């Protein structure tokens, strides 16, 4: 199966105008033409790009290349994208590396499974080149924003370096997990975080916690700050809204 990722001259110009944030991307797909075309478009947009044909090669190259973003197909021989993502997330130096699934699997269950594995985005094939690059640019802009020491959202200021939260000039004392949970949700306002995703990123995969753990911590955050900044999306997860 092949997909038309080759841009017209007009689309190439549009992609170059959509300014990319410099970064390193590892593209993993078992189809050579897909690798070539995606790599071409990303390099044209200013990204340093390396390719791998399956999950085994991806893990090997990731350790050498140290990418900022790993783009994974799901249906691959030897080691599929889901298993590759699981293995990558177990490697300490890749705990915070961005992962994007680019796959022909476009059903809701596959997308939820991908996000539960810790993916930062899930994109169904085929996709137009300029849209693919724009989605990747957005991920890198989000990453750069997350790396800032302080994050200000209205009257709320979160200082990652000092582990402090200030609301309307008043410092709020949060426990470590409360702080990490608030920081995670606030890092992507409006984005719904799945329950399993939150548990994996805040408590880790090695720690077993009760099903109500997130609810208890969110209730404490709401009480301490004095306003409800976190919305519960019933049966799905939570999102931060200011």
């Amino acid at each position: 199966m092949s997909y038309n990722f080759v841009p017209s001259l007009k689309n190439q110009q549009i992609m170059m105008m959509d300014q990319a944030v410099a970064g390193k991307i590892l593209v993993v797909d078992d189809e050579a033409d897909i690798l070539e075309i995606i790599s071409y478009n990303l390099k044209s947009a200013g990204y340093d790009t390396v390719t791998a044909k399956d999950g085994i090669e991806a893990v090997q190259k990731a350790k050498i290349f140290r990418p900022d973003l790993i783009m994974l197909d799901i249906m691959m021989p030897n080691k599929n994208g889901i298993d590759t993502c699981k293995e990558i997330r177990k490697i300490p130096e890749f705990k915070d590396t961005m992962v994007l699934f680019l796959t022909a699997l476009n059903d809701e269950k596959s997308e939820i499974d991908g996000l539960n594995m810790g993916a930062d985005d899930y994109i169904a094939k085929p996709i137009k080149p300029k849209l693919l690059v724009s989605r990747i640019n957005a991920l890198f802009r989000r990453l750069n924003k997350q790396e800032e020491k302080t994050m200000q959202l209205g009257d709320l200021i979160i200082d990652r370096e000092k582990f402090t939260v200030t609301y309307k000039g008043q410092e709020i004392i949060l426990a470590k997990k409360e702080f990490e949970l608030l920081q995670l949700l606030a890092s992507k306002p409006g984005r719904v975080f799945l329950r399993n995703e939150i548990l994996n990123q805040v408590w880790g995969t090695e720690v077993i916690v009760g099903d109500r753990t997130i609810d208890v911590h969110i209730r404490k955050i709401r009480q301490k700050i004095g306003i409800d900044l976190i919305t519960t999306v019933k049966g799905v997860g939570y999102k931060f809204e200011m």
Side-chain angles (χ1 to χ4, degrees):
M1 185 180 296
S2 62
Y3 299 93
N4 183 20
F5 280 83
V6 180
S8 64
L9 178 59
K10 181 179 179 182
N11 282 350
Q12 289 184 48
Q13 293 171 342
I14 292 173
M15 283 195 302
M16 294 304 291
M17 290 171 63
D18 188 2
Q19 185 179 5
V21 180
K24 298 164 67 176
I25 301 176
L26 172 60
V27 184
V28 190
D29 199 296
D30 62 324
E31 296 187 48
D33 58 336
I34 297 295
L35 287 178
E36 181 180 355
I37 294 167
I38 294 178
S39 179
Y40 167 80
N41 284 287
L42 292 176
K43 287 178 179 178
S44 296
Y47 290 102
D48 185 5
T49 307
V50 166
T51 63
K53 64 181 180 298
D54 58 40
I56 294 175
E57 186 180 6
V59 175
Q60 294 171 345
K61 287 192 173 181
K63 292 177 180 178
I64 299 170
F65 183 54
R66 299 296 179 93
D68 303 301
L69 168 66
I70 300 175
M71 187 184 305
L72 288 169
D73 185 20
I74 290 181
M75 296 182 292
M76 297 185 294
N78 301 324
K79 187 187 290 288
N80 65 42
I82 296 293
D83 290 339
T84 302
C85 183
K86 288 180 182 179
E87 183 171 345
I88 286 170
R89 285 296 185 224
K90 290 179 181 178
I91 302 173
E93 55 264 42
F94 298 126
K95 180 177 178 292
D96 298 318
T97 299
M98 294 186 293
V99 173
L100 181 156
F101 282 116
L102 179 63
T103 174
L105 295 176
N106 58 5
D107 60 287
E108 183 179 2
K109 182 181 183 304
S110 295
E111 182 171 355
I112 291 174
D113 288 344
L115 293 173
N116 276 335
M117 288 302 104
D120 295 272
D121 203 352
Y122 189 103
I123 300 176
K125 297 176 182 176
I127 183 172
K128 294 180 179 179
K130 65 177 182 178
L131 179 56
L132 175 63
V133 172
S134 293
R135 293 279 288 269
I136 290 170
N137 288 347
L139 283 175
F140 274 91
R141 284 193 294 269
R142 186 190 302 167
L143 175 65
N144 290 339
K145 185 176 181 181
Q146 288 175 355
E147 288 177 346
E148 295 174 0
K149 293 180 180 178
T150 60
M151 178 168 45
Q152 183 164 0
L153 302 119
D155 294 322
L156 184 72
I157 299 174
I158 301 174
D159 191 318
R160 294 184 175 90
E161 191 173 58
K162 297 179 180 178
F163 266 72
T164 59
V165 174
T166 305
Y167 181 65
K168 290 187 176 181
Q170 180 178 353
E171 185 171 330
I172 310 296
I173 305 300
L174 297 181
K176 185 174 184 291
K177 291 302 180 185
E178 293 168 0
F179 179 89
E180 292 175 352
L181 175 55
L182 176 62
Q183 176 186 251
L184 173 64
L185 297 176
S187 68
K188 302 172 185 177
R191 191 252 210 210
V192 178
F193 286 82
L194 305 177
R195 293 182 65 90
N196 287 345
E197 185 181 2
I198 295 171
L199 289 171
N200 288 341
Q201 293 199 41
V202 176
W203 281 270
T205 57
E206 305 301 322
V207 180
I208 300 176
V209 295
D211 199 40
R212 300 286 295 171
T213 298
I214 301 175
D215 300 331
V216 171
H217 281 72
I218 286 178
R219 184 171 68 248
K220 289 181 179 179
I221 292 171
R222 289 167 174 162
Q223 291 172 346
K224 291 180 179 180
I225 295 178
I227 57 172
D228 188 359
L229 300 171
I230 302 171
T231 301
T232 301
V233 182
K234 192 173 181 179
V236 180
Y238 305 86
K239 63 179 178 178
F240 179 94
E241 292 182 311
M242 194 67 190

